[in-house]
Amino acid sequence: CGPARRWRSLTPYLPVRHAKRQTLDEYVSQDVRVELGYRNRSQEVTVSRLSPDEGLPDRWALRYRRRRQAERLDKARRGLGLQLDFDKDVEGPLLLGQLSHFGYGLFAPCPEADWAS
């Protein structure tokens, strides 16, 4: 993938860590920054959750959950659609989060011409 400043989820992002008295946005932002650090990528990023209705068919990310056997299902970490905005261009591909080695957490560059905001 060519360089881009904005990246959007193609597959659900599955958080790796447990939330510790944080809002969902704080939790996901911190999780993404740690994942980027593991991959020697820029951690100067703004993380936004995508609405399930933002061009994502069938509320796709909400169907996926990551949980351990000892966890109750209501404590499972749901898959999320994310948008990552970096302060400078970042080379791809970007695969982040739990089970990224199986294709989860795949991000694609979003051309500037397609930016709605």
Side-chain angles (χ1 to χ4, degrees):
C1 297
R5 286 182 38 224
R6 179 171 285 176
W7 293 77
R8 294 186 90 170
S9 296
L10 285 182
T11 59
Y13 176 80
L14 301 175
V16 178
R17 288 146 202 82
H18 288 283
K20 295 187 172 131
R21 295 184 181 165
Q22 299 169 300
T23 66
L24 181 58
D25 290 330
E26 291 169 341
Y27 162 60
V28 171
S29 293
Q30 180 182 10
D31 198 67
V32 167
R33 284 187 182 92
V34 171
E35 287 293 298
L36 288 167
Y38 286 149
R39 290 158 178 82
N40 296 320
R41 303 287 184 147
S42 170
Q43 296 177 38
E44 296 300 319
V45 62
T46 302
V47 179
S48 309
R49 285 185 293 137
L50 297 175
S51 159
D53 301 323
E54 270 187 82
L56 302 173
D58 194 27
R59 299 172 58 94
W60 63 278
L62 295 178
R63 294 184 301 197
Y64 298 93
R65 295 180 187 202
R66 155 86 172 87
R67 74 178 180 103
R68 295 189 168 95
Q69 281 186 312
E71 278 182 332
R72 293 189 344 227
L73 194 55
D74 64 336
K75 296 293 183 189
R77 290 161 274 173
R78 291 188 177 272
L80 300 165
L82 299 179
Q83 177 173 293
L84 309 179
D85 289 300
F86 293 91
D87 60 341
K88 58 185 176 186
D89 284 351
V90 172
E91 291 281 337
L94 283 181
L95 284 120
L96 304 171
Q98 187 72 29
L99 302 177
S100 60
H101 54 286
F102 288 120
Y104 289 91
L106 174 64
F107 290 83
C110 185
E112 288 189 40
D114 295 344
W115 290 15
S117 57

